[in-house]
Amino acid sequence: MRIAWIAGVLFAVIVIAGLPGLAGLAPRIENEPWGVTTYDFAYHVDVGNFGTAPARNLTARIALLRSFPPFQIVDSIVPATPGFTVEVDDLGNRFAVYNLTELAAGASLMADFTARVRVYGIDFTATDAGLTSASPGPAYTSPEPFVESADPRIVNRSLALRAASTGFADYAYGSYVWTTNHLTYETQPQERGAVWALRTGRGMCYEYSNLFTALLRAQGLAAKRVNGWGERFQTGEVHHAEEIAHAWTLVFTADHGWIPVDPTFGDVHLYENFLKANDMHVILTEGVNRHFYRVTYTRTAGTNVQVDYVVTVLSKAEENLSTARAVVIGGFVAVPFLLAAMITAQVVRERRKRVYLE
């Protein structure tokens, strides 16, 4: 009995150890969704005047979630607080804008929003031709503030990386890896540019994205920065803006349009954040200096305006769209139950033997 029991346990251990390898046998889905996560979010913005004098001519611009097909689709966005106008900027970002003649000392403007968004998991592929054969416009290949792609230091680094690559797809990946290796994450008091990040080797998500975007543009590849929430969200969680505010890059390809690349998260999970969409990224705006909230007012003595931005995950529903992945996951889930069943069967059999012998 002991030999059979030990053999059964060893067999189960071997099966468990081998299950990750089954993922390699499953056909890989490229450029098509393998899963979708549906989120219901509530986000609350509290603009309070904690000073002793009124804040005059106060304007609060709060970004509304927008779709980025094929990996992000906003099913609904509902501002629950009236009194706003909708403003759309030159990049297509949408904002709920609240204008107040003044916000009295001790008073607050509270704005609430609910949204449902579907985020698809997609593993993209990029080819040399796809990266270079089309462009959405010169703005995405040109320098801009914080993305100084024409600076000689950026250009020289891009030339060195290009010389070591086999093509533009390899160059994009090499620039991504180099950025994650070159930079050390460090919180900054304000946003820095790509040149500063290159020179110091430090920065937060804005610097990671700015530097990577600049390296792509220096070689004529179209790229842009996006801003939003980055987190492994779970139902019931409550997050403040400083905890989840995030920035990453979208790379343009003729084959699949804009594709996400996140060099900051690539510091931890390199492979999973290059040309892959996942449910840890929710985009609100695109573009440098296009933050997902901004409050301006006439600054006078005695005013002290503070903003509290809170996101609540009302629900999270995950759906696997790949049969192959479902089989592998099902195998992982089933093995502990199979092992328990084997042990139980051996115990019952041994007890029956003892009863018979007695």
Side-chain angles (χ1 to χ4, degrees):
M1 179 268 178
R2 288 183 178 178
I3 295 176
W5 186 84
I6 293 173
V9 171
L10 289 175
F11 174 76
V13 170
I14 292 172
V15 171
I16 294 173
L19 272 173
L22 294 178
L25 301 177
R28 183 183 175 190
I29 297 178
E30 293 182 344
N31 307 314
E32 296 292 338
W34 52 259
V36 59
T37 300
T38 302
Y39 288 113
D40 283 307
F41 289 112
Y43 55 110
H44 170 81
V45 183
D46 184 353
V47 183
N49 182 4
F50 295 90
T52 57
R56 294 188 171 86
N57 304 314
L58 185 143
T59 298
R61 287 181 173 84
I62 303 162
L64 302 174
L65 282 164
R66 53 180 289 200
S67 293
F68 284 81
F71 52 85
Q72 177 168 305
I73 304 297
V74 176
D75 290 328
S76 65
I77 175 74
V78 181
T81 305
F84 66 92
T85 58
V86 175
E87 178 182 286
V88 182
D89 68 12
D90 58 318
L91 296 179
N93 300 312
R94 298 174 67 246
F95 299 87
V97 181
Y98 294 87
N99 290 301
L100 300 181
T101 303
E102 74 171 34
L103 184 64
S108 294
L109 165 66
M110 297 187 183
D112 290 282
F113 307 83
T114 57
R116 171 167 290 183
V117 57
R118 285 175 284 138
V119 183
Y120 289 86
I122 306 176
D123 298 339
F124 291 100
T125 56
T127 64
D128 293 342
L131 284 168
T132 58
S133 62
S135 173
Y140 301 108
T141 56
S142 303
E144 63 176 313
F146 298 109
V147 184
E148 308 98 327
S149 55
D151 185 277
R153 288 162 288 190
I154 297 292
V155 172
N156 289 339
R157 172 48 54 186
S158 74
L159 290 172
L161 291 167
R162 181 70 180 92
S165 63
T166 59
F168 280 110
D170 188 48
Y171 171 75
Y173 182 69
S175 299
Y176 164 74
V177 173
W178 185 86
T179 301
T180 64
N181 290 335
H182 179 68
L183 295 182
T184 298
Y185 191 90
E186 181 181 281
T187 302
Q188 300 299 315
Q190 63 188 41
E191 182 174 348
R192 312 288 190 174
V195 170
W196 186 91
L198 175 67
R199 180 174 56 83
T200 66
R202 307 194 310 272
M204 50 197 303
C205 59
Y206 304 109
E207 285 68 53
Y208 278 74
S209 178
N210 290 340
L211 178 55
F212 176 63
T213 302
L215 289 171
L216 293 183
R217 291 185 181 183
Q219 289 296 311
L221 302 181
K224 64 182 178 182
R225 199 182 86 190
V226 290
N227 316 282
W229 308 329
E231 180 61 49
R232 193 177 297 278
F233 297 104
Q234 299 297 335
T235 301
E237 291 181 343
V238 178
H239 298 279
H240 290 268
E242 60 271 17
E243 301 169 350
I244 59 173
H246 195 46
W248 59 103
T249 299
L250 298 186
V251 182
F252 187 80
T253 70
D255 304 329
H256 312 294
W258 293 105
I259 301 177
V261 176
D262 187 349
T264 310
F265 282 8
D267 254 349
V268 180
H269 299 291
L270 186 69
Y271 178 70
E272 291 303 319
N273 288 284
F274 181 75
L275 303 183
K276 295 181 185 294
N278 58 56
D279 61 8
M280 292 180 63
H281 298 81
V282 178
I283 303 174
L284 278 86
T285 65
E286 67 172 78
V288 174
N289 204 29
R290 307 296 173 104
H291 303 290
F292 49 83
Y293 74 86
R294 172 163 290 176
V295 176
T296 59
Y297 59 96
T298 301
R299 297 179 180 273
T300 57
T303 58
N304 179 18
V305 175
Q306 304 290 332
V307 181
D308 189 22
Y309 185 106
V310 178
V311 176
T312 302
V313 186
L314 301 177
S315 68
K316 176 182 180 180
E318 299 174 272
E319 181 182 356
N320 197 322
L321 303 178
S322 166
T323 302
R325 288 174 179 260
V327 169
V328 173
I329 294 173
F332 274 109
V333 173
V335 165
F337 294 98
L338 292 174
L339 179 58
M342 290 172 58
I343 295 173
T344 301
Q346 289 291 351
V347 170
V348 171
R349 187 178 303 169
E350 181 65 17
R351 286 182 177 177
R352 286 178 177 174
K353 287 181 180 179
R354 290 179 180 178
V355 170
Y356 179 77
L357 292 175
E358 290 175 356

